[in-house]
Coordinates of all heavy atoms in Angstrom, one line a residue:
S2 N 58.0 219.1 -80.8 CA 57.4 217.8 -81.0 C 57.7 217.3 -82.4 O 57.4 218.0 -83.4 CB 55.9 217.8 -80.7 OG 55.3 216.6 -81.0
T20 N 58.3 227.8 -72.9 CA 58.1 229.2 -72.9 C 59.1 229.8 -71.9 O 59.2 229.4 -70.7 CB 56.7 229.7 -72.5 OG1 55.8 229.1 -73.5 CG2 56.6 231.2 -72.4
L22 N 59.5 233.4 -70.1 CA 58.9 234.7 -69.8 C 60.0 235.6 -69.3 O 60.6 235.4 -68.2 CB 57.9 234.5 -68.7 CG 57.2 235.7 -68.1 CD1 56.3 236.4 -69.2 CD2 56.4 235.4 -66.8
P36 N 67.7 241.0 -78.4 CA 68.7 240.0 -78.8 C 68.4 238.6 -78.4 O 68.6 237.7 -79.1 CB 70.0 240.5 -78.1 CG 69.7 241.9 -77.7 CD 68.3 242.0 -77.5
V38 N 65.3 237.4 -77.9 CA 64.2 236.9 -78.7 C 64.7 236.3 -80.0 O 64.3 235.2 -80.4 CB 63.2 238.1 -79.1 CG1 62.1 237.6 -80.1 CG2 62.5 238.6 -77.8
A45 N 63.2 228.2 -77.8 CA 62.1 228.4 -76.8 C 61.2 229.5 -77.4 O 61.5 230.2 -78.3 CB 62.8 228.9 -75.5
V89 N 60.9 231.4 -65.9 CA 60.7 232.9 -65.6 C 62.1 233.5 -65.5 O 62.9 233.0 -64.6 CB 59.9 233.1 -64.3 CG1 59.8 234.6 -64.0 CG2 58.6 232.5 -64.4
S93 N 67.0 242.1 -62.7 CA 67.0 243.2 -61.7 C 65.6 243.4 -61.1 O 65.1 242.4 -60.5 CB 67.5 244.5 -62.3 OG 67.9 245.4 -61.3
V98 N 60.2 240.7 -59.5 CA 58.8 240.2 -59.9 C 58.9 238.7 -60.0 O 57.9 238.0 -59.6 CB 58.5 240.8 -61.3 CG1 57.1 240.3 -61.7 CG2 58.5 242.4 -61.2
P107 N 54.1 228.7 -57.8 CA 55.2 227.8 -58.0 C 55.0 226.7 -59.0 O 55.9 226.3 -59.8 CB 55.4 227.2 -56.6 CG 54.2 227.5 -55.8 CD 53.6 228.7 -56.4
T118 N 70.2 240.6 -60.2 CA 69.2 240.9 -59.2 C 69.6 240.5 -57.8 O 70.8 240.0 -57.6 CB 67.8 240.2 -59.5 OG1 66.8 240.8 -58.8 CG2 67.9 238.7 -59.3
S124 N 67.4 248.7 -48.2 CA 67.9 249.1 -46.9 C 67.2 250.5 -46.7 O 66.5 251.0 -47.6 CB 69.4 249.4 -46.9 OG 69.7 250.4 -47.9
T140 N 59.3 266.3 -60.3 CA 59.7 267.7 -60.5 C 60.5 267.9 -61.7 O 60.4 268.9 -62.4 CB 60.4 268.2 -59.3 OG1 61.6 267.3 -59.0 CG2 59.5 268.2 -58.0
F169 N 70.7 253.6 -76.9 CA 69.5 252.7 -77.0 C 68.9 252.6 -75.6 O 67.7 252.7 -75.5 CB 69.9 251.3 -77.6 CG 68.9 250.3 -77.4 CD1 67.8 250.2 -78.3 CD2 69.0 249.3 -76.4 CE1 66.8 249.3 -78.1 CE2 68.0 248.4 -76.2 CZ 66.9 248.3 -77.1
S178 N 56.7 256.0 -68.8 CA 55.8 257.1 -68.4 C 56.2 257.5 -66.9 O 56.8 256.7 -66.2 CB 54.4 256.6 -68.4 OG 54.2 255.5 -67.5
E221 N 75.8 239.7 -54.1 CA 74.3 239.4 -53.9 C 74.0 238.1 -54.7 O 73.2 237.3 -54.2 CB 73.5 240.6 -54.4 CG 73.7 241.9 -53.7 CD 73.0 241.9 -52.3 OE1 72.3 240.9 -52.0 OE2 73.2 242.9 -51.6
E233 N 72.9 227.4 -60.2 CA 74.2 227.6 -60.9 C 74.4 229.1 -61.1 O 73.4 229.8 -61.3 CB 74.0 227.0 -62.3 CG 75.3 227.0 -63.1 CD 75.1 226.6 -64.6 OE1 74.0 226.2 -65.0 OE2 76.0 226.7 -65.4
I237 N 79.4 237.0 -65.9 CA 79.8 237.4 -67.2 C 80.9 238.5 -67.2 O 80.6 239.6 -66.6 CB 78.6 237.8 -68.0 CG1 77.6 236.6 -68.1 CG2 79.0 238.2 -69.4 CD1 76.5 236.7 -69.1
H272 N 61.2 209.1 -71.1 CA 61.8 207.8 -71.3 C 61.5 206.9 -70.1 O 61.1 205.8 -70.2 CB 63.3 208.0 -71.5 CG 64.0 206.9 -71.9 ND1 63.8 206.3 -73.2 CD2 65.0 206.1 -71.4 CE1 64.6 205.3 -73.3 NE2 65.3 205.1 -72.3

Side-chain angles (χ1 to χ4, degrees):
S2 171
T20 296
L22 174 71
V38 171
V89 180
S93 200
V98 179
T118 196
S124 60
T140 53
F169 168 78
S178 66
E221 299 284 353
E233 185 188 356
I237 302 196
H272 192 65

